[in-house]
Amino acid sequence: MNTSLNLDAMTVDELWQLHEEIGRVLSVRLTSEKRELEKRLAQLRGEKGASRSGAETDAARERRKYPRVVAKYQNPNEPMETWSGRGKVPRWLAAELKSGRSIDEFVIADRT
């Protein structure tokens, strides 16, 4: 491997061929190194199936099911705009509160 290449003396075709060969060698080496690292990681995690990737394990995991949250506040101008009281205050409510109205004015009276 002590072969020194004089890149300045090489033609464009020779340089391109060298480029493609380096790309092939790198691809093979990176793939094998990645496979070895995944095996080591699986051993460290204590997983049984070392061939499973992280994306597969995430996809297999189910999302926790949360109960549906009932709306507590409603925009009187646009009845479809509601807010459960969780998370960030919606723009319509923030604007009304800023104009001096109380949040109690937007409570939905007959929630079922």
Side-chain angles (χ1 to χ4, degrees):
M1 200 77 205
N2 290 335
T3 313
S4 61
L5 298 173
N6 187 0
L7 299 177
D8 292 330
M10 296 176 79
T11 65
V12 173
D13 290 334
E14 291 171 334
L15 288 171
W16 187 254
Q17 188 177 18
L18 179 63
H19 166 73
E20 289 178 340
E21 185 178 343
I22 290 172
R24 281 191 296 272
V25 171
L26 276 174
S27 176
V28 169
R29 286 190 184 178
L30 288 174
T31 302
S32 65
E33 189 173 334
K34 180 182 175 191
R35 194 175 300 122
E36 290 298 320
L37 289 173
E38 286 175 346
K39 285 180 186 177
R40 285 179 47 199
L41 183 61
Q43 288 174 348
L44 291 173
R45 286 185 180 165
E47 293 179 355
K48 293 179 183 175
S51 63
R52 293 177 66 177
S53 69
E56 291 174 351
T57 57
D58 289 342
R61 210 177 321 152
E62 278 191 40
R63 234 185 113 178
R64 181 177 170 195
K65 295 183 181 180
Y66 291 96
R68 184 157 176 85
V69 180
V70 180
K72 295 178 185 174
Y73 305 99
Q74 183 179 34
N75 185 353
N77 301 330
E78 293 289 330
M80 294 300 294
E81 293 180 345
T82 59
W83 182 49
S84 66
R86 296 184 181 181
K88 189 173 180 181
V89 178
R91 290 183 185 143
W92 62 266
L93 184 56
E96 294 290 342
L97 294 174
K98 194 172 185 179
S99 69
R101 294 181 71 178
S102 170
I103 195 164
D104 296 327
E105 298 176 39
F106 302 98
V107 174
I108 299 174
D110 55 346
R111 291 188 314 184
T112 48

